[in-house]
Amino acid sequence: MRQKIIVANWKMYKTLSEAEEFMGSLPREIAGVDDVKAVVCAPFLFLERLAVLTAKTAISLGAQNMHWEKEGAFTGEISPVMLKDLGIKYVIIGHSERRQFFGESNFQINKKLAAAFAYGLIPILCVGENRRQRDAGETEEVIEKQLNSALDGLAVEKDLLQKMVLAYEPVWAIGSGTPANGEEANVVAAFMRSLLLKKGQEVSRKVSILYGGSVNPENIAEFTDKAEIDGALVGGSSLNVKTFAALIRIASSERRT
Ligand code: PEP
């Protein structure tokens, strides 16, 4: 059985003291929940300090992006080795805001994905259609293209590949207050799993698939209760520690017992 995962994407929000305050209270807020993996993807600047604060907890840290090279003359970039050195476990790759506002291409995403595996980071690969593509009925076509190009030529052992996390994030649902419908998101997640069959049955079965886009405590169960959806990637509702903790608690099996 796949473990539920709830990932916070803080984007470009918070100061260091706000980040410290959040992380100082998160363990207490989710005390007793041991069946949901909590991951916080914070701005690069905060990761070193947050790594200290989370050292004795089950909370994992992630970055929101990275370069694919180990080192080099790439002004302003952060390498996978730098992240690994701080004890960072996850990295978001191909978030739609990076594709949209920073021109990140499928080619770059493919290189970043390969680098994540090469340097021992767990990638959280984001895919999703925009409003126009959805209205034109192109959702599956878009996702197939994004996923196939991200995985293209990737020479990774199955044991490692199955640790990857995928996030279905319809662009029109991100930050809009209008989430996807749970049933529809489940169908897309099942489609993503079917695409993974090329990598083997086990990979398809074991990869975690998250939903992301305007998730909040009122709607999260609509996604996490679905057979093919293993959790959520959360932006806005991850900024307040009590709200983020509520998401984790709802995703926990406590809710169903
Ligand atoms: C995101 O940034 O990945 C996201 C899903 O944002 P929000 O939850 O705010 O829609």
Side-chain angles (χ1 to χ4, degrees), residues 9 11 95 97 126 169 173-176 212-215 233-237:
N9 175 16
K11 311 192 187 197
H95 191 281
E97 287 156 13
C126 301
E169 294 216 305
I174 296 178
S176 67
S214 296
V215 166
L233 175 53
V234 189
S237 293

Side-chain angles (χ1 to χ4, degrees), residues 76-138:
E77 292 291 327
I78 298 288
S79 85
V81 174
M82 295 172 186
L83 296 175
K84 194 68 190 164
D85 186 46
L86 291 187
I88 305 310
K89 204 163 166 198
Y90 292 83
V91 58
I92 296 176
I93 291 178
H95 191 281
S96 63
E97 287 156 13
R98 298 226 43 96
R99 296 179 194 255
Q100 200 181 337
F101 304 129
F102 302 97
E104 209 165 273
S105 65
N106 286 333
F107 172 80
Q108 291 171 324
I109 290 163
N110 173 254
K111 287 178 101 60
K112 290 181 183 197
L113 193 67
F117 285 116
Y119 293 101
L121 293 155
I122 299 177
I124 302 171
L125 173 67
C126 301
V127 296
E129 81 287 1
N130 63 29
R131 167 66 67 194
R132 189 200 55 73
Q133 292 160 335
R134 175 187 158 88
D135 292 347
E138 295 169 0

Side-chain angles (χ1 to χ4, degrees), residues 151 153-154 158 161 195-204:
L151 295 171
L154 209 68
K158 283 195 168 66
L161 194 59
L195 295 173
L196 290 174
L197 278 173
K198 309 191 191 62
K199 301 285 178 189
Q201 292 255 358
E202 214 184 343
V203 171
S204 165

Side-chain angles (χ1 to χ4, degrees), residues 123-179:
I124 302 171
L125 173 67
C126 301
V127 296
E129 81 287 1
N130 63 29
R131 167 66 67 194
R132 189 200 55 73
Q133 292 160 335
R134 175 187 158 88
D135 292 347
E138 295 169 0
T139 299
E140 291 196 349
E141 195 184 313
V142 169
I143 284 169
E144 184 165 3
K145 192 167 171 212
Q146 290 176 340
L147 198 55
N148 285 345
S149 60
L151 295 171
D152 188 37
L154 209 68
V156 176
E157 294 290 320
K158 283 195 168 66
D159 285 1
L160 203 55
L161 194 59
Q162 68 200 27
K163 293 203 170 95
M164 171 173 65
V165 177
L166 297 181
Y168 169 49
E169 294 216 305
V171 180
W172 50 270
I174 296 178
S176 67
T178 308

